[in-house]
Amino acid sequence: MSMYSLQLKPEFIEILQPLGANASDFFFAASLYHAHKVSFAAAAALADLSFEEFNYQLRGHFGQGLIVQDETIMEDIATVQECVNSGL
């Protein structure tokens, strides 16, 4: 197992510095989440933020927080319909 060390270019440091001490962790985790490489919960943990704070930061920087896939919504609708049809 190898360890990775991330070294930022000075230009990135200059941009990230006003955004706070953990800005690089947040943006790296957010990019992995947006690329569908990690779950929302995993990205929040990587950014060392709570679910709510990670969602708040995503909304603030990207205009959208938690992303729910269309397939998930359709599955939920089907589950609700099954419950209604079975009288649950």
Side-chain angles (χ1 to χ4, degrees), residues 6 15 19 23 37 47 51 60 62 81:
L6 183 64
I15 293 167
L19 300 174
K37 300 298 180 189
F51 182 98
F62 299 100
Q81 189 62 46

Side-chain angles (χ1 to χ4, degrees), residues 5 12 33 40 42-48 52 54 56 60 65 72 75 84:
S5 176
F12 286 128
Y33 173 65
F40 186 92
L46 287 170
D48 199 24
E52 293 81 11
F54 188 65
Y56 176 80
T72 303
E75 289 172 7
V84 168

Side-chain angles (χ1 to χ4, degrees):
M1 183 161 131
S2 65
M3 300 297 283
Y4 292 97
S5 176
L6 183 64
Q7 186 170 5
L8 299 175
K9 292 180 178 182
E11 297 86 358
F12 286 128
I13 294 170
E14 185 178 317
I15 293 167
L16 291 171
Q17 189 170 15
L19 300 174
N22 295 328
S24 60
D25 291 343
F26 166 74
F27 284 106
F28 189 56
S31 68
L32 291 171
Y33 173 65
H34 283 145
H36 308 283
K37 300 298 180 189
V38 297
S39 69
F40 186 92
L46 287 170
D48 199 24
L49 296 171
S50 68
F51 182 98
E52 293 81 11
E53 183 61 23
F54 188 65
N55 194 45
Y56 176 80
Q57 293 290 335
L58 282 175
R59 286 182 180 276
H61 291 288
F62 299 100
Q64 181 178 12
L66 176 65
I67 300 167
V68 180
Q69 301 296 321
D70 290 344
E71 297 83 26
T72 303
I73 294 170
M74 296 308 293
E75 289 172 7
D76 289 349
I77 290 171
T79 300
V80 169
Q81 189 62 46
E82 287 175 23
C83 290
V84 168
N85 291 342
S86 67
L88 292 177

